[in-house]
Amino acid sequence: MAKYPKFLIEHFQNPKNLGEIPDADGVGTVGNATCGDIMQMFIKVNGEKITEASFKTFGCGAAIATSSILTERIKGATLDEALKISEETSMEVLSQLPKEKIPCFTLAKDALRLAIDEYRCKLEGFHEKGGFDSEEFEKD
Ligand code: FES
């Protein structure tokens, strides 16, 4: 059986920021093609700063622990800082996870990137699904 570092076990046993943010500014949803699990990341943003972050997943313990860590670290960060934190956390966590669990962390990282992309698209007048917001287009 794989050995996990203590901080990962603590986040798995007592996950932080679990659940949905109903009025989230950005939501990212990704699936793990290997196991079929799903991850959703929610962010609330004020200007460029992430004020709240949470997640929901049908994933394993590694996915829960790494999402808990990531959502804790990005609160209060700007969107660009959050992407950097996500990369730094990858380097830290991935070196301590068994190889077969690497896609589990990647879920959280990819879901965060999509949540940020969705927020930025909304700001720029693009529709949530990636199309152009026709109402905004007609106003111009
Ligand atoms: Fe599915 Fe980890 S095994 S997310």
Side-chain angles (χ1 to χ4, degrees):
M1 188 167 169
K3 262 228 176 252
Y4 290 89
K6 199 173 170 204
F7 79 100
L8 277 176
I9 294 170
E10 284 169 3
H11 275 276
F12 168 63
Q13 290 176 332
N14 186 23
K16 310 281 189 274
N17 312 308
L18 194 54
E20 191 172 331
I21 299 174
D23 57 343
D25 296 311
V27 180
T29 305
V30 291
N32 183 340
T34 313
C35 65
D37 290 335
I38 293 175
M39 163 79 61
Q40 271 192 312
M41 189 78 69
F42 304 87
I43 55 171
K44 280 291 283 178
V45 183
N46 185 359
E48 272 291 300
K49 240 181 197 165
I50 295 176
T51 54
E52 281 182 66
S54 71
F55 71 98
K56 273 185 7 185
T57 186
F58 292 105
C60 65
I64 292 168
T66 53
S67 304
S68 172
I69 292 166
L70 190 57
T71 51
E72 278 290 278
R73 291 183 178 179
I74 62 172
K75 276 194 266 178
T78 66
L79 299 172
D80 286 338
E81 286 167 349
L83 292 171
K84 196 172 167 220
I85 289 167
S86 167
E87 289 302 324
E88 290 165 358
T89 304
S90 291
M91 304 301 274
E92 178 189 343
V93 170
L94 295 184
S95 65
Q96 301 184 57
L97 280 177
K99 254 194 185 130
E100 66 273 14
K101 290 295 180 186
I102 289 175
C104 309
F105 173 72
T106 307
L107 272 186
K109 188 179 151 199
D110 290 348
L112 172 64
R113 187 179 39 77
L114 287 178
I116 290 173
D117 285 352
E118 187 194 58
Y119 171 72
R120 285 181 165 158
C121 282
K122 282 181 188 172
L123 275 187
E124 291 169 13
F126 284 90
H127 235 259
E128 292 169 27
K129 293 191 172 95
F132 210 64
D133 185 331
S134 59
E135 284 181 33
E136 283 299 314
F137 186 70
E138 286 164 13
K139 284 183 204 166
D140 291 337

